[in-house]
Amino acid sequence: VPVAERDQMKSKSLKHGESVTLDPGVITNPNDVMTWYFNDTPIAEITGDQSKIVTNHSYWRVRDGLKLDHQTGSLTITNSRITDSGLYKLQIISSRFSIIRSFSVT
C-alpha cells in the first residue's frame, strides 16, 4: 500500500442528546477495508463488498446510538452522552492508498 495520507483532526463539540455524523469525505470502492476505532479500540470494520460488517460487540451492545453507513463509511452518533467523548479514527485501506481520518468528539 502506498504512503498513508493523514489529515488534520476534525473537532466536534456536542451537547448531551445531540447527534453528529463523522464523515470521512472520501470516495471508497467496493474492495476497500474501512475500520473505525474509538480511543484506539476497533469498534467496526467494513470489508470486501461492504455488505460484511464486523463489530466489536461489547462496545456496540453498550452504545446502541451508533449508526454505520455502509456506502460512505460514515459513523453517526445519536443521542450523545459524555461517554461518547474521545478520539474516533477511520482507517481506509485500498489497493491504491491508505487514509486515516481523525475526529475528536467532546
Side-chain angles (χ1 to χ4, degrees):
V1 175
V3 174
E5 174 195 323
R6 182 180 281 275
D7 69 325
Q8 294 283 0
M9 184 179 309
K10 295 180 176 99
S11 295
K12 307 282 185 174
S13 294
L14 302 172
K15 293 180 181 165
H16 183 78
E18 289 183 331
S19 296
V20 66
T21 298
L22 308 179
D23 186 355
V26 296
I27 297 172
T28 60
N29 72 50
N31 295 319
D32 293 349
V33 175
M34 297 182 278
T35 307
W36 273 103
Y37 298 86
F38 176 62
N39 294 332
D40 293 324
T41 299
I43 59 172
E45 183 176 84
I46 303 172
T47 61
D49 63 5
Q50 299 183 8
S51 63
K52 181 181 179 194
I53 297 178
V54 177
T55 58
N56 177 333
H57 294 293
S58 60
Y59 179 81
W60 287 75
R61 192 171 30 250
V62 173
R63 186 61 182 104
D64 61 356
L66 296 176
K67 294 185 173 124
L68 190 60
D69 184 312
H70 309 170
Q71 303 298 320
T72 65
S74 64
L75 180 71
T76 300
I77 303 167
T78 60
N79 195 22
S80 64
R81 48 192 175 199
I82 191 93
T83 54
D84 295 324
S85 295
L87 179 62
Y88 291 82
K89 287 191 229 173
L90 173 63
Q91 180 179 35
I92 303 171
I93 298 175
S94 82
S95 60
R96 303 176 323 272
F97 60 83
S98 175
I99 295 174
I100 295 176
R101 294 288 190 242
S102 302
F103 303 87
S104 173
V105 176
T106 55

